[in-house]
Amino acid sequence: MKRRVLITAGAGGIGRAMGEAFDAAGFDVWVSDVDEAALAACPDSWATSLTDVSDEAAVEALFAEVAGKWSGLDVLCINAGIAGPTASVENVALADWRACLGVTLDGAFLTAKHAIPLLKQGRAGSIVVTSSTAGQYGYPNRSPYSAAKWGVIGLMKTLAMELGAYGIRANAICPGAVEGPRMEGVLQREAAAKGMTRDQVYDGYASGTAMGRFVEARDIADMAVFLGSEGARLVSGQVIAVDGFTVNPDPKV
């Protein structure tokens, strides 16, 4: 029987790369997303669901559908999140704060809550949470995002403690700056907020790593597949950075 993975925000970016990597590793793949057009562009062999992870009724319906078709789950990738505003703390609107935490942190909680019964059925499994280096160091002008990404690490560690007796592991991946459209938006907003050019901000992110470069979505996806594999059978409760080693989280370039 093929192993089964569900990936939230799986129709684009890191999530899409995860789907492709798990597919290549022989998994049945199910992705949820809020982007209907991106879901339609996913491979025909994947199961897809249009789901807002901040809506508990929608998340509950998603896993009821999964239970009906798969009757279990082996790997859960909690990947959904939004970048949030770029502004100093005193200039962040409460609505923007809540929107970021609603998807990134509330969504992670709701996804885990409703997936756990399926994971428990096999008395084995893996939960992979996408955090960020912003969830390890913090980051100026990104308070909602940093707070949410710190929060999902706390959630992950609690899941690892609660579910270990069922053979279920939980770990967090902390990507550094990832090449792609989402990061491009961050670069543009941060450049505007700091009075810098986009290229100056890009170089600042890259220079803050020992390897002097951005990572790619496939780097995160490959780590997710490893964490979902038998090779990581005793890896749990860990925070694993895939970032080229951040040596300065706030370089002044």
Side-chain angles (χ1 to χ4, degrees):
M1 178 179 175
K2 292 178 74 174
R3 299 184 72 204
R4 301 147 297 185
V5 60
L6 185 139
I7 306 160
T8 63
I14 290 173
R16 175 63 183 257
M18 286 179 174
E20 292 169 351
F22 276 103
D23 193 355
F27 281 70
D28 281 330
V29 176
W30 195 313
V31 300
S32 73
D33 210 294
V34 293
D35 188 333
E36 192 168 6
L39 285 169
C42 288
D44 292 339
S45 60
W46 296 7
T48 61
S49 296
L50 186 67
T51 309
D52 176 357
V53 296
S54 67
D55 179 346
E56 183 164 18
V59 175
E60 189 171 13
L62 167 64
F63 285 103
E65 185 182 7
V66 174
K69 292 185 177 179
W70 277 359
S71 73
L73 188 63
D74 300 294
V75 179
L76 173 68
C77 293
I78 301 177
N79 178 62
I82 59 175
T86 300
S88 59
V89 171
E90 67 266 32
N91 291 315
V92 172
L94 180 59
D96 291 337
W97 170 275
R98 287 176 171 166
C100 185
L101 269 71
V103 173
T104 310
L105 184 53
D106 293 354
F109 158 70
L110 292 171
T111 300
K113 173 182 176 180
H114 292 286
I116 284 170
L118 285 172
L119 289 163
K120 281 183 174 179
Q121 287 180 17
R123 297 197 64 82
S126 175
I127 299 172
V128 180
V129 179
T130 304
S131 182
S132 168
T133 51
Q136 295 179 292
Y137 304 105
Y139 200 80
N141 300 306
R142 300 289 301 286
S143 56
Y145 183 76
S146 293
K149 291 301 190 179
W150 277 71
V152 298
I153 289 174
L155 173 64
M156 173 278 292
K157 287 185 175 287
T158 300
L159 292 171
M161 293 175 182
E162 290 186 1
L163 300 176
Y166 298 91
I168 299 167
R169 301 174 292 106
N171 294 282
I173 301 174
C174 290
V178 181
E179 296 277 7
R182 178 172 168 176
M183 190 63 198
E184 190 61 39
V186 171
L187 294 172
Q188 298 287 354
R189 290 190 296 273
E190 191 163 328
K194 292 182 174 179
M196 299 168 66
T197 68
R198 175 264 182 207
D199 289 349
Q200 285 174 323
V201 177
Y202 182 99
D203 291 344
Y205 273 98
S207 69
T209 71
M211 298 185 74
R213 56 168 294 178
F214 278 37
V215 299
E216 298 177 21
R218 66 183 177 89
D219 300 313
I220 313 307
D222 288 345
M223 180 59 71
V225 171
F226 169 69
L227 291 173
S229 74
E230 181 65 13
R233 66 190 183 93
L234 292 178
V235 180
S236 192
Q238 302 306 305
V239 179
I240 302 170
V242 180
D243 64 344
F245 184 31
T246 298
V247 293
N248 183 355
D250 184 29
K252 302 295 192 293
V253 175

